[in-house]
C-alpha cells in the first residue's frame, strides 16, 4: 500500500524559509518522478515542483529561484526547501508522484505566510 506523509508546514512571516518533508512508503522515490503540489484557499491544486527519476528538476515560474525540490532515496523521502516565502505561497502542500495518482494523495501540510 502506497502512503505519502507530508510534514513541516507552519505559520511563518514573509521572507522566512521553511523545509517540507514527504516520507514515502510502498514505492521507491528513486524509480519515480516525484512532485510537490499545493492548493490555496479557493483555488485548484497546482503542481509546484518536480524531480524526475534521473534527477532533473523543474518548477513553476512563481517559485523558481526560491524553492528547491530534492530527495533522499536512502530515506525514501522528498523535500521542498522554500525560501523568501510570500503570502501568495500560503496553501496546503502535498507530495505525490508525477503525474499524480488520486489514490496517493495524503493529508498535506499547511503553510501559512503572514505578518
Amino acid at each position: 500500500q502506497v502512503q505519502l506523509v507530508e510534514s513541516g508546514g507552519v505559520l511563518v512571516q514573509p521572507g522566512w524559509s521553511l523545509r517540507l518533508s514527504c516520507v514515502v512508503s510502498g514505492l521507491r522515490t528513486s524509480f519515480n518522478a516525484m512532485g510537490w503540489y499545493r492548493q490555496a484557499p479557493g483555488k485548484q491544486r497546482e503542481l509546484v515542483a518536480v524531480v524526475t527519476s534521473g534527477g532533473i528538476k523543474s518548477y513553476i515560474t512563481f517559485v523558481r529561484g526560491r524553492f528547491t525540490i530534492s530527495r533522499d532515496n536512502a530515506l525514501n523521502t522528498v523535500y521542498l526547501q522554500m525560501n523568501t516565502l510570500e503570502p501568495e505561497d500560503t496553501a496546503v502542500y502535498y507530495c505525490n508522484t508525477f503525474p499524480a495518482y488520486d489514490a496517493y494523495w495524503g493529508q498535506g501540510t499547511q503553510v501559512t505566510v503572514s505578518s
Side-chain angles (χ1 to χ4, degrees), residues 3 8 15 25 28 41-42 57 67 70-71 73 81 92 100 103 109:
Q3 189 174 22
S25 58
R28 300 300 303 174
K57 303 175 183 180
F67 289 12
S70 63
R71 64 179 180 209
N73 292 331
Q81 176 68 40
V92 179
T109 187

Side-chain angles (χ1 to χ4, degrees), residues 40-70:
K43 296 185 178 181
Q44 289 190 331
R45 185 153 42 196
E46 64 174 350
L47 175 67
V48 174
V50 173
V51 56
T52 69
S53 57
I56 297 172
K57 303 175 183 180
S58 60
Y59 306 88
I60 60 172
T61 299
F62 186 71
V63 307
R64 193 174 296 129
R66 299 188 297 122
F67 289 12
T68 302
I69 188 171
S70 63

Side-chain angles (χ1 to χ4, degrees), residues 16-113:
W16 286 22
S17 297
L18 201 58
R19 189 178 80 157
L20 306 182
S21 300
C22 173
V23 178
V24 181
S25 58
L27 63 85
R28 300 300 303 174
T29 57
S30 57
F31 295 158
N32 291 272
M34 301 298 300
W36 278 97
Y37 303 76
R38 68 185 182 186
Q39 186 166 20
K43 296 185 178 181
Q44 289 190 331
R45 185 153 42 196
E46 64 174 350
L47 175 67
V48 174
V50 173
V51 56
T52 69
S53 57
I56 297 172
K57 303 175 183 180
S58 60
Y59 306 88
I60 60 172
T61 299
F62 186 71
V63 307
R64 193 174 296 129
R66 299 188 297 122
F67 289 12
T68 302
I69 188 171
S70 63
R71 64 179 180 209
D72 186 328
N73 292 331
L75 296 179
N76 224 38
T77 299
V78 184
Y79 303 98
L80 186 68
Q81 176 68 40
M82 305 185 294
N83 299 329
T84 319
L85 282 160
E86 303 179 10
E88 292 76 14
D89 295 316
T90 295
V92 179
Y93 284 72
Y94 304 86
C95 67
N96 204 317
T97 55
F98 178 77
Y101 284 90
D102 284 346
Y104 294 172
W105 293 115
Q107 296 297 310
T109 187
Q110 175 71 50
V111 173
T112 303
V113 184

